Amino acid sequence: QLVESGGGSVQAGESLTLSCAASYTYGSYGMAWFRQVSGKGREGVAAIDSDGSADYVESVKGRFTISQDNAKTAVYLQMSSLKAEDTAMYYCAAKKRNDCSGGPDDYNYWGQGTQVTVS
C-alpha cells in the first residue's frame, strides 16, 4: 500500500514536498511520481531506482527532486518554483522492475493521489 501526503494549494513560485509512505520495505522496486489533470492521461514526473538513480520529465528538471529514505519505506518529491501548469493530482507508484523507465502501465502499485494546485 502506498499513501501520498503533502499536497495543497500554493502560489506560483512557492514550494511543496510530497511524501509517499509504503506499508512495506519496497527494497529493489522502482518508484515514481506521476501526475494527472482531469481528462488527460497520467504523466510520469520523476522516477528513482533502489540505487538512487533518478530521471525526470523535461518540464520539471531543475525544479523537482525525487528522493527516498535509506530504509526504502518512503519516497519524496520536492517541488520548487511551482507553476500553474504543475497543477494536477500527483500519484506515487511502484513497480517490480528496478529502473527509472516505463509509463503508467509498467507500474504495479499505486497510491490514492494528492492534489497540488498552483495559482
Side-chain angles (χ1 to χ4, degrees):
Q1 182 181 8
L2 302 172
V3 180
E4 302 97 334
S5 61
S9 296
V10 297
Q11 298 291 317
E14 293 183 342
S15 300
L16 272 178
T17 296
L18 306 182
S19 299
C20 171
S23 58
Y24 52 88
T25 299
Y26 56 80
S28 60
Y29 279 35
M31 304 296 291
W33 287 95
F34 287 79
R35 63 187 179 188
Q36 186 171 25
V37 176
S38 180
K40 295 187 177 181
R42 289 188 183 183
E43 175 190 40
V45 176
I48 191 168
D49 67 16
S50 63
D51 294 327
S53 295
D55 196 16
Y56 301 88
V57 68
E58 192 64 34
S59 61
V60 308
K61 285 182 179 178
R63 299 189 299 121
F64 290 13
T65 302
I66 189 171
S67 62
Q68 60 193 347
D69 68 346
N70 290 335
K72 302 294 192 296
T73 59
V75 179
Y76 308 97
L77 186 67
Q78 296 173 277
M79 307 183 293
S80 62
S81 303
L82 283 162
K83 305 175 181 180
E85 50 263 44
D86 295 318
T87 295
M89 183 72 79
Y90 282 71
Y91 296 90
C92 178
K95 64 175 180 178
K96 296 176 182 177
R97 194 175 73 208
N98 186 23
D99 60 33
C100 297
S101 64
D105 290 345
D106 296 302
Y107 285 78
N108 309 101
Y109 307 99
W110 292 85
Q112 82 290 348
T114 185
Q115 178 68 38
V116 173
T117 302
V118 185
S119 58

